[in-house]
Amino acid sequence: MYRRQRVEPKVNMAPLIDIVFLLLVFFVFTAGMVNEPMGVDVHLPGASTATAQEAVPLVVFASADGQLYVDQEPVTLADLASAIRQRSGEAGGTALTIFADQKVDFQRILSIMDAARTVGIRDIDFAVREEDTPVFDRP
């Protein structure tokens, strides 16, 4: 009489490992793009007391050539308040981080802060890069 042999199922791990490595490469390359919109060169000012911060739901970028971006979308200064209002409702937060180039004039930064305050955002932070040497000596 013929006896049926039991076939053990085999799981091939090679495709799974390939997919995991592809995902890893994807996340490594896109992680650097989250902070800056594509094509905008922002050189952050330095501060010796800069600390790492958790992700903020709402971000405004101000480049040296006058371009403004709210969460990767280009806006004008006149439309900034409405764009912040719309994005703050989607993000569900009342915090804003300004990524301003070190050459952006102070009046432009104040205009961004005013637009955020008219919408009701009071928690405004500035993104800076960490600087090794202190700007001045503290006692």
Side-chain angles (χ1 to χ4, degrees):
M1 178 183 274
Y2 175 72
R3 187 165 195 179
R4 190 173 188 193
Q5 289 185 353
R6 186 172 185 188
V7 178
E8 291 292 325
K10 295 181 183 178
V11 177
N12 190 356
M13 295 297 288
L16 178 65
I17 292 171
D18 289 343
I19 291 173
V20 169
F21 279 123
L22 284 174
L23 287 173
L24 178 68
V25 168
F26 172 76
F27 286 119
V28 166
F29 282 123
T30 58
M33 294 181 208
V34 171
N35 290 337
E36 291 186 13
M38 298 292 283
V40 177
D41 192 21
V42 176
H43 298 285
L44 296 176
S48 60
T49 58
T51 58
Q53 182 181 7
E54 291 183 25
V56 176
L58 188 59
V59 179
V60 174
F61 293 91
S63 66
D65 58 356
Q67 296 176 336
L68 289 175
Y69 293 85
V70 177
D71 285 343
Q72 313 265 345
E73 296 293 325
V75 296
T76 63
L77 189 57
D79 297 331
L80 183 61
S82 62
I84 291 174
R85 181 180 294 114
Q86 177 186 3
R87 294 292 195 288
S88 66
E90 293 172 2
T94 58
L96 173 84
T97 300
I98 299 173
F99 284 77
D101 192 278
Q102 58 190 357
K103 295 183 180 177
V104 173
D105 66 318
F106 189 61
Q107 182 60 50
R108 187 110 171 138
I109 293 173
L110 285 178
S111 299
I112 295 169
M113 292 175 66
D114 283 341
R117 286 188 180 135
T118 58
V119 174
I121 294 177
R122 301 284 181 241
D123 187 10
I124 301 172
D125 292 323
F126 291 95
V128 295
R129 64 177 168 78
E130 189 173 348
E131 197 173 64
D132 293 334
T133 58
V135 177
F136 54 89
D137 293 327
R138 294 188 175 95

